[in-house]
């Protein structure tokens, strides 16, 4: 039943991206297993990241079940769709229910998508990772698949108006080799290794990105350390964001 809903939603997303003439460059999808469970882990810079993360799994004919905040499931439009596609609601006050739901999905051979930063990074740099993804992979006996997105923040991100105009925005997606999560290792150490790998993929995606800001007003989507005007992590922390 989930696939009967999921595939038309994917088709609608692809149609929208074609209408917007997004230039999507994906490399490394072959690292996503064709069968069996895995935890797909990505950076988080846009409200649409779950769609692009899911697209990276399509060449392997896999559908990703994402862990998403519960409020999305309460929305009158997105809620029924999210539930029908077997995504996993996360109530931060009762996170153990989402954890058990995700663990069950992994053990049944599903791919579960996780954004371990928990929130969108408004600096467009990598925030600290929570250890839940590593612990899920350890307990389910499945690999972690790191990936990175770049350019999605130019379409729709926190604190900026969404850009659904035909601006030919490039989106770069890089998927890396699996990171193993042995049960006898400390989850914190695995999480650090995973974050390092996502950072490497993010830097690779940024180097491959085919355009630069057009002018000074267009530098908002570039992090400060790359010459952009996005707020630094320190500035966001000082502002309580």
């Amino acid at each position: 039943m989930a696939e009967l809903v999921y595939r038309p939603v994917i088709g609608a997303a692809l149609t929208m991206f074609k209408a917007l003439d997004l230039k999507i460059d994906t490399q490394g999808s072959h690292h996503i297993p064709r069968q069996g469970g895995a935890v797909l882990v990505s950076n988080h810079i846009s409200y649409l990241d779950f769609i692009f993360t899911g697209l990276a799994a399509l060449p392997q004919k896999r559908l990703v079940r994402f862990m998403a905040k519960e409020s999305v499931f309460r929305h009158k439009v997105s809620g029924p769709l999210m539930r029908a596609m077997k995504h996993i609601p996360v109530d931060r006050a009762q996170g153990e229910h989402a954890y058990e739901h995700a663990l069950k999905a992994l053990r049944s051979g599903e791919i579960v998508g996780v954004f371990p930063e928990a929130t969108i990074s408004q600096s467009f740099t990598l925030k600290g990772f929570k250890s839940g993804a590593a612990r899920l992979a350890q307990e389910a006996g499945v690999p972690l698949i790191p990936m990175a997105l770049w350019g999605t923040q130019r379409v729709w991100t926190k604190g900026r108006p969404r850009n659904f105009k035909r601006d030919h925005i490039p989106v770069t997606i890089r998927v890396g080799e699996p990171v193993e999560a042995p049960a006898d290792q400390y989850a914190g150490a695995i999480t650090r290794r995973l974050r390092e790998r996502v950072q490497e993929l993010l830097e690779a995606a940024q180097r491959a990105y085919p355009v630069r800001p057009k002018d000074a007003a267009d530098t908002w989507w570039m992090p400060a350390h790359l010459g952009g005007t996005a707020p630094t992590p320190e500035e966001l922390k000082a502002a309580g964001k």
Side-chain angles (χ1 to χ4, degrees):
M1 181 62 187
E3 280 63 22
L4 293 177
V5 176
Y6 208 137
R7 295 191 186 282
V9 170
I10 291 172
L14 290 172
T15 299
M16 180 183 74
F17 294 161
K18 185 175 181 180
L20 296 176
D21 196 30
L22 299 185
K23 308 297 185 183
I24 302 174
D25 168 26
T26 304
Q27 292 185 16
S29 289
H30 62 279
H31 293 304
I32 298 172
R34 281 190 174 270
Q35 294 182 328
V39 182
L40 189 57
V41 176
S42 176
N43 65 317
H44 197 12
I45 53 176
S46 164
Y47 288 116
L48 300 179
D49 286 343
F50 70 98
I51 300 178
F52 292 103
T53 302
L55 290 181
L58 288 185
Q60 296 295 86
K61 304 186 186 303
R62 300 303 302 270
L63 299 176
V64 183
R65 316 301 176 184
F66 287 96
M67 300 183 75
K69 59 185 180 180
E70 191 180 40
S71 59
V72 177
F73 290 78
R74 292 197 299 266
H75 190 275
K76 63 181 180 181
V77 176
S78 63
L81 289 174
M82 294 291 282
R83 285 188 290 272
M85 290 186 285
K86 293 171 61 178
H87 295 310
I88 302 168
V90 178
D91 180 352
R92 291 182 181 176
Q94 296 180 311
E96 67 275 7
H97 296 306
Y99 185 91
E100 291 300 325
H101 189 164
L103 190 59
K104 182 178 179 181
L106 289 167
R107 286 172 170 165
S108 67
E110 298 274 16
I111 291 182
V112 172
V114 177
F115 297 105
E117 296 168 278
T119 59
I120 289 174
S121 171
Q122 292 179 265
S123 66
F124 309 130
T125 61
L126 211 56
K127 297 161 67 78
F129 277 21
K130 297 186 180 300
S131 63
R135 290 187 289 109
L136 278 170
Q138 284 182 299
E139 198 165 343
V142 301
L144 294 149
I145 310 297
M147 65 175 292
L149 306 166
W150 190 246
T152 61
Q153 75 273 33
R154 299 181 63 199
V155 184
W156 190 12
T157 193
K158 192 172 185 178
R160 300 285 306 188
R162 57 192 174 197
N163 181 5
F164 288 171
K165 295 182 288 187
R166 192 177 172 85
D167 280 352
H168 322 292
I169 293 173
V171 171
T172 303
I173 304 172
R174 294 291 181 266
V175 185
E177 296 179 358
V179 173
E180 297 303 321
D184 61 351
Q185 288 189 11
Y186 176 51
I190 297 171
T191 300
R192 286 192 294 273
R193 191 159 66 246
L194 176 66
R195 187 184 181 280
E196 289 170 359
R197 188 63 184 123
V198 174
Q199 179 66 40
E200 291 170 359
L201 292 166
L202 177 58
E203 292 173 5
Q206 291 168 336
R207 287 193 299 271
Y209 201 67
V211 301
R212 301 284 295 176
K214 298 187 294 290
D215 51 38
D218 192 41
T219 58
W220 66 266
W221 56 270
M222 289 285 282
H225 75 277
L226 292 181
T229 53
T232 65
E234 293 75 20
E235 289 170 340
L236 290 167
K237 184 176 181 180
K241 296 182 180 179

